[in-house]
Every structure is written in structure tokens, then in C-alpha cells.
Amino acid sequence: MLTKNIYIRTVSLGNRKSCPTCSQKLNGNLIYSAGEYVNAKWNNIQHFCSLCFQDNLKHYCEVYKTKTGKEINFVSYQSTKIPDWLKV
């Protein structure tokens, strides 16, 4: 089956205290960026935190899988540790 790699990395975004997607206070949680490479350039798909992953990025991945039939594969970007809760 065909797969699509989505790279996951942590970002600071100017030392934000809340998630840019869901606006919830982070309280020590990290902000992640999901992206892909298109023609050797980084294309950011979405910023997310552990609180909004289910509603945002997971939904995006499910829609993409339904439309294209490709499996989503989360890949660590430059040794970023991918958390256990981040699964499609």
C-alpha cells in the first residue's frame, strides 16, 4: 500500500503560552508542527498540541486516507521524539 510521510517536529512560535490552533493554555505541553516536503521545500500542514490533535490533525489524516487510499506515516523530524498519543 502507498504511504505518505508527515514529518513531526516541536516548535516554539515565539515562546507562546497557548496553542495557535485551539487557543488552549499549554501548561507545559509542547506545540508540534506537522508538515511535508513538496519539491524539496517544507510545507507546513498544521500546528497542534496534545489537546487539539484528535479534532484537527487526526481528522485531516483520516480525510486524506479516504480520498487517496494512502496510509499516513508519522516521521520524526531531526530527532524530535514522537509522543505515544500521536497515532492515526
Side-chain angles (χ1 to χ4, degrees), residues 2-88:
L2 296 172
T3 61
K4 175 183 179 69
N5 289 334
I6 294 182
Y7 295 88
I8 304 296
R9 64 181 180 179
T10 56
V11 292
S12 65
L13 300 179
N15 210 13
R16 290 184 62 108
K17 304 274 190 248
S18 62
C19 177
T21 302
C22 68
S23 301
Q24 295 288 324
K25 289 208 178 277
L26 293 172
N27 296 326
N29 292 326
L30 297 172
I31 300 172
Y32 295 91
S33 173
E36 61 187 342
Y37 284 100
V38 178
N39 297 328
K41 287 185 168 182
W42 176 261
N43 178 37
N44 192 58
I45 296 171
Q46 189 175 88
H47 291 107
F48 64 97
C49 66
S50 60
L51 303 172
C52 66
F53 166 71
Q54 291 287 347
D55 295 333
N56 294 300
L57 184 62
K58 187 172 183 179
H59 177 71
Y60 168 85
C61 292
E62 289 169 351
V63 169
Y64 182 85
K65 182 180 176 183
T66 302
K67 285 183 176 180
T68 65
K70 292 183 179 179
E71 289 289 327
I72 299 292
N73 185 29
F74 290 129
V75 178
S76 172
Y77 179 84
Q78 293 184 347
S79 74
T80 298
K81 185 179 180 321
I82 297 177
D84 294 334
W85 52 261
L86 204 141
K87 291 182 174 49
V88 177

